[in-house]
Amino acid sequence: MSAPKRRVPAAQRGARLARRTPKNGTPPLTTSRRPGSGNARHSAVLTAGGPHPVELAGLLHELTVRLLSADSLNQALDRLAALVTGALPGVVRCAVVLIGEGGPLTAAGSGTTGESFDHLQYAGSTGPGLEAARTRTVVTSDDLMDDERWPELRDAARAGGLRAVAAIPMDVRRTAVGAVSIYLDRAGDVCPEVLVTVMALAGHAQVLLGELHRREALTEGAEVDRAAGVIIAQRGCGVQEAYAILHESAQRLGLPQSTVAERLVAAAARNAG
């Protein structure tokens, strides 16, 4: 029996492609080009070298500590964006976005500029970060001022001083797809070392974010169980009926079930005191 194939995260697949050199010596194409840019410069490629292993290991360790110590998923995304912006040379903004099934966008950003660009991208549901998340490919632009894919974002890019971008897809297991986008304040390709480093960070982050989501689900489940116990004690009903009451209350109030459960448990604790 053959061994099952191991699924490789999208960001890691991109990093592997960047390291591969064809036999004829032609540098590999690692990023997509915008339509109509056939005469533009070649996309960024990894030739020799790349990020120093010790530096990369240090960044991955710091990312692990920051994300796993976060109190919430939103705080973890804020920390991811801040680390990328502070660690990669030439990056003036990092934006992180997650698209959950049937839910709103979850986004974070870090940098001294470019907030309006992010807001416009998410409001219009179009832009490099969202395209990378939806297509599961690395999306780049060496000049947002001359990119035909997102003309509605040009003014915001100009106002924010954003010229070039590379968006790396993420796949948070069973919860969301997303992307980590880095922006430069100059036109031109993102240098190979920076591109490979952000690919590695995005690939590691998607694993950590999946673990955070698992922890949050366990915590929310425990709170719902406690709330069901409170309902049983108060009403003398059965277990299934208690969960149904909690579910109906959440729907009626238009709140997440976990929020209603938390409030119910807190109210019971106050009354008991």
Side-chain angles (χ1 to χ4, degrees):
M1 180 181 295
S2 60
K5 295 183 179 180
R6 185 172 63 89
R7 185 170 179 268
V8 181
Q12 293 181 11
R13 292 198 300 270
R16 291 184 180 181
L17 287 174
R19 292 186 177 92
R20 190 177 301 146
T21 303
K23 294 181 180 180
N24 61 8
T26 304
L29 183 65
T30 63
T31 54
S32 63
R33 304 297 300 172
R34 64 178 187 271
S37 61
N39 295 326
R41 294 180 297 276
H42 291 293
S43 297
V45 294
L46 178 65
T47 53
H52 193 283
V54 174
E55 294 174 338
L56 184 56
L59 283 176
L60 294 177
H61 174 75
E62 184 175 356
L63 181 65
T64 302
V65 172
R66 289 194 186 189
L67 267 59
L68 291 186
S69 63
D71 295 328
S72 65
L73 182 63
N74 287 336
Q75 186 182 61
L77 296 183
D78 288 336
R79 291 181 175 184
L80 171 59
L83 184 144
V84 172
T85 304
L88 300 183
V91 174
V92 296
R93 182 167 186 80
C94 173
V96 184
V97 63
L98 293 180
I99 307 173
E101 183 177 355
L105 294 176
T106 304
S110 177
T112 58
T113 185
E115 288 187 22
S116 61
F117 183 91
D118 286 344
H119 292 324
L120 187 60
Q121 174 180 195
Y122 304 146
S125 192
T126 182
L130 296 179
E131 183 174 328
R134 290 165 178 158
T135 63
R136 321 303 307 125
T137 59
V138 177
V139 174
T140 68
S141 174
D142 59 11
D143 194 349
L144 290 167
M145 300 296 98
D146 190 34
D147 200 306
E148 299 175 0
R149 290 171 292 183
W150 314 294
E152 62 275 22
L153 298 178
R154 289 175 186 169
D155 290 342
R158 183 180 295 105
L162 307 180
R163 294 297 301 272
V165 62
I168 313 302
M170 290 196 303
D171 184 1
V172 181
R173 186 182 179 192
R174 297 179 181 175
T175 57
V177 294
V180 177
S181 304
I182 55 172
Y183 295 89
L184 310 180
D185 59 0
R186 56 169 179 78
D189 295 320
V190 177
C191 79
E193 290 80 5
V194 170
L195 187 59
V196 171
T197 302
V198 74
M199 283 178 171
L201 291 173
H204 194 55
Q206 65 188 12
V207 177
L208 300 175
L209 293 173
E211 172 61 17
L212 281 176
H213 185 271
R214 185 188 69 83
R215 293 182 183 181
E216 284 190 351
L218 289 176
T219 301
E220 291 175 359
E223 196 71 10
V224 168
D225 291 341
R226 285 192 288 269
V230 170
I231 295 173
I232 292 171
Q234 290 177 343
R235 304 194 180 192
C237 61
V239 175
Q240 291 185 349
E241 185 180 353
Y243 282 105
I245 291 171
L246 183 61
H247 179 70
E248 291 171 2
S249 298
Q251 286 188 324
R252 184 175 65 256
L253 295 172
L255 295 172
Q257 188 169 266
S258 58
T259 301
V260 176
E262 183 180 352
R263 292 180 180 179
L264 179 59
V265 172
R270 288 193 302 269
N271 294 335

